[in-house]
């Protein structure tokens, strides 16, 4: 005899319970879509957006410049430099299309020296000198000078003997006077990568301030 507490198996599955199980399964599927699957979708979308943005940035970076862009000519990109201490000054300047010179001025002796570097043989192979005290008499026992270089174009000369591509300007501030020097550069010798030497050539100068007269009147 069956116990009154035991239930028939047919009672466990009824139309109502089957409908409830179906609804529960559908709810689980909807939940999956709203959580894990939706997160996977947004994760993929984010990666795709990142890749697309990166490709666009690279394309814009590699895009040829437009005609409205400012372009500096190569000659404006060549810069000279100068620096000084209490009794010494140095400066650089272009001597030829290939060679650059470095200039040294010793305030105590007045000696101005130019060394020129030959890039093809990778060594200094030219030297030019002068003494600025001849053109700029120092005032006092501790002379002070200023020195810069400037480019020159269209210089004429005899054959290969033409001035180098820059002038060296030296100022004696106590007297307010200055002098400029040119480099006696020989382009034929440069082509042979042979040594050069000589004296820097005075190219002019003058009084830039009335300070000299004031100093003399003291």
């Amino acid at each position: 005899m069956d116990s009154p507490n035991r239930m028939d198996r047919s009672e466990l599955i009824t139309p109502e319970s089957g409908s409830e199980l179906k609804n529960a399964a559908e709810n689980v599927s909807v939940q999956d879509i709203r959580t894990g699957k939706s997160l996977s979708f947004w994760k993929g979308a984010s990666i795709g957006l990142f890749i697309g943005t990166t490709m666009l940035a690279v394309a814009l970076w590699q895009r040829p410049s437009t005609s409205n862009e400012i372009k500096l000519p190569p000659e404006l990109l060549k810069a000279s430099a100068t620096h000084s201490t209490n009794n010494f000054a140095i400066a650089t300047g272009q001597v030829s299309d290939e060679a650059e010179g470095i200039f040294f001025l010793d305030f105590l002796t007045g000696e101005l020296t130019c060394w020129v570097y030959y890039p093809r043989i990778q060594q200094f192979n030219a030297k030019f000198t002068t003494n600025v005290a001849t053109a700029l008499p120092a005032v006092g026992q501790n002379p002070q000078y200023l020195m810069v270089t400037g480019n020159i174009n269209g210089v004429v000369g005899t054959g290969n003997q033409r001035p180098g591509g820059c002038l060296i300007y030296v100022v004696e501030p106590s007297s307010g006077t200055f002098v400029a020097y040119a480099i006696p550069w020989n382009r034929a010798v440069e082509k042979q990568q042979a040594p050069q030497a000589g004296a820097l050539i005075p190219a002019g100068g003058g009084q830039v301030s009335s300070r000299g007269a004031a100093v003399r009147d003291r």
Side-chain angles (χ1 to χ4, degrees):
M1 183 175 179
D2 294 335
S3 170
N5 294 330
R6 294 182 62 183
M7 300 178 64
D8 193 288
R9 293 182 61 184
S10 62
E11 296 178 358
L12 296 176
I13 303 175
T14 63
E16 291 78 11
S17 62
S19 177
E20 291 175 358
L21 290 174
K22 182 179 179 181
N23 291 335
E26 290 177 352
N27 290 335
V28 170
S29 299
V30 171
Q31 189 67 17
D32 287 341
I33 294 174
R34 291 179 178 176
T35 57
K37 293 184 178 180
S38 62
L39 289 176
S40 298
F41 169 79
W42 287 113
K43 182 178 180 181
S46 299
I47 295 174
L49 180 61
F50 173 77
I51 294 174
T53 304
T54 303
M55 294 177 64
L56 177 61
V58 172
L60 291 175
W61 179 70
Q62 293 181 342
R63 184 181 62 182
S65 59
T66 62
S67 58
N68 293 330
E69 184 178 353
I70 298 176
K71 296 181 179 180
L72 294 177
E75 57 270 17
L76 293 182
L77 302 180
K78 297 178 180 179
S80 60
T82 182
H83 187 67
S84 65
T85 62
N86 292 334
N87 53 22
F88 208 86
I90 62 173
T92 60
Q94 200 71 23
V95 177
S96 71
D97 292 338
E98 295 184 3
E100 183 181 65
I102 181 167
F103 305 89
F104 304 93
L105 177 58
D106 187 337
F107 295 177
L108 299 180
T109 63
E111 294 177 353
L112 174 60
T113 306
C114 169
W115 286 92
V116 182
Y117 188 76
Y118 282 27
R120 279 191 277 172
I121 60 175
Q122 299 182 9
Q123 68 182 38
F124 288 95
N125 212 28
K127 181 182 179 182
F128 304 93
T129 60
T130 192
N131 195 303
V132 301
T134 304
L136 303 173
V139 178
Q141 297 182 350
N142 296 312
Q144 297 292 312
Y145 298 99
L146 302 174
M147 180 174 65
V148 295
T149 63
N151 293 338
I152 53 176
N153 297 314
V155 180
V156 297
T158 303
N160 290 307
Q161 189 72 38
R162 289 181 293 171
C166 70
L167 290 178
I168 308 97
Y169 302 93
V170 181
V171 179
E172 203 288 302
S174 297
S175 62
T177 56
F178 84 98
V179 63
Y181 295 95
I183 306 166
W185 190 247
N186 192 308
R187 284 157 177 78
V189 175
E190 179 190 13
K191 290 180 180 179
Q192 299 171 5
Q193 300 297 294
Q196 297 191 53
L200 292 170
I201 303 171
Q207 190 81 30
V208 298
S209 172
S210 59
R211 182 179 297 183
V215 171
R216 289 192 299 269
D217 292 341
R218 290 181 180 178

